[in-house]
Amino acid sequence: MWVVLVLSALTKTADLRAQVARFRELDPKALVVTHVDETDDLTNVLNLVLDDASPPLAWIGTGQRVPEDLEIPTPARLLDALLQRRSGER
């Protein structure tokens, strides 16, 4: 079985880390972060992804339509999203 952990980008960093720890027993192989389109700050997501305890980020959810709004998160895409939000663009 392949377990994927789904977390919301609206969650604080400490709570994201707590959720990863809570589900560690299930040995998730990948991470999906949803609600990326509903936040102006992705720092919490980037902190989680850089944490060694976190499964690798496989997809980000950027809207309500599944699977159309699931994207593969390239480093360039994540940096672009972070910089756009910091400058007030969307």
Side-chain angles (χ1 to χ4, degrees):
M1 179 184 343
W2 204 64
V3 176
V4 176
L5 183 58
V6 179
L7 301 173
S8 172
L10 304 175
T11 307
K12 297 181 294 188
T13 302
D15 293 337
L16 287 171
R17 286 184 171 137
Q19 290 175 1
V20 167
R22 186 175 304 120
F23 290 101
R24 186 170 292 129
E25 234 177 84
L26 296 176
D27 192 28
K29 300 297 182 202
L31 180 65
V32 176
V33 175
T34 63
H35 301 282
V36 170
D37 57 318
E38 295 180 20
T39 183
D40 290 330
D41 187 1
L42 290 176
T43 306
N44 58 338
V45 173
L46 295 176
N47 284 333
L48 181 69
V49 170
L50 294 173
D51 193 338
D52 288 337
S54 176
L57 183 60
W59 298 284
I60 55 174
T62 60
Q64 299 292 318
R65 301 170 308 146
V66 175
E68 294 88 352
D69 291 333
L70 287 176
E71 296 181 19
I72 295 173
T74 63
R77 169 69 173 98
L78 290 176
L79 183 60
D80 183 51
L82 181 66
L83 293 176
Q84 283 181 2
R85 284 169 172 76
R86 291 283 183 203
S87 69
E89 297 175 27
R90 272 196 138 185

